[in-house]
Amino acid sequence: MTGSTVTELDVLGALLAFDFIGFAQKSASLDRTDPHYGHAVGAAFGLAVRRRFPQGATREEISGYLAGVLGSLEAGAEDFDPVFLEGLVADGLDGATALGGTYPDPDPETTLQALLLLTFRLIRELGLDPDQQRELLTEAAHRVRA
């Protein structure tokens, strides 16, 4: 796997630590041309969404959850197509890396932004402490390399 895998997880780690300067700096260093762009964050998202919905979720449950997420945003909710987000969650629950699904995929950058937003929200909801967050990120890195 490429160096972007570690960088992506570093970006997510900075976001989880509320290190917004580090988040911005690390985000700017990502190689958006890397064919694996977004895969590491997608793996972390998949782990988090399966922990949030360990028994799976119906389309209605996913839609309701996402309505709550989007409704809680002070700004930016209009940037994300709910059908696209539903596809990300459904793919994540199916064990996919949440990339390459059958939903309308706007572009790799929007996909990564959606994954970062949702993963951040899920990890906060799950109440994972910093050690548990590092474990999740480590597991995501291993899944991407496998």
Side-chain angles (χ1 to χ4, degrees):
M1 189 59 33
T2 65
S4 68
T5 300
V6 172
T7 304
E8 284 178 24
L9 294 177
D10 287 342
V11 168
L12 180 55
L15 180 61
L16 291 169
F18 294 99
D19 175 7
F20 299 117
I21 294 172
F23 173 78
Q25 291 171 338
K26 291 173 186 191
S27 292
S29 72
L30 291 176
D31 179 4
R32 286 152 177 80
T33 63
D34 184 334
H36 301 288
Y37 183 70
H39 287 208
V41 173
F45 168 76
L47 292 167
V49 78
R50 287 189 298 279
R51 287 184 187 184
R52 168 63 173 81
F53 297 103
Q55 304 303 316
T58 66
R59 185 172 193 92
E60 293 78 23
E61 290 170 324
I62 292 170
S63 180
Y65 174 75
L66 292 170
V69 169
L70 293 174
S72 72
L73 297 178
E74 293 179 21
E78 66 279 357
D79 294 341
F80 300 106
D81 176 0
V83 173
F84 166 66
L85 295 180
E86 287 175 15
L88 287 177
V89 173
D91 281 358
L93 288 172
D94 287 342
T97 60
L99 296 171
T102 57
Y103 45 83
D105 186 3
D107 60 71
E109 188 61 29
T110 301
T111 301
L112 183 63
Q113 294 305 314
L115 290 170
L116 286 167
L117 166 74
L118 293 173
T119 306
F120 175 82
R121 175 73 179 248
L122 288 163
I123 288 173
R124 289 288 168 217
E125 287 176 4
L126 291 167
L128 301 183
D129 65 32
D131 288 336
Q132 293 168 317
Q133 291 172 20
R134 279 189 291 281
E135 289 173 12
L136 185 133
L137 296 178
T138 299
E139 185 176 346
H142 288 301
R143 287 178 182 254
V144 172
R145 286 186 212 126

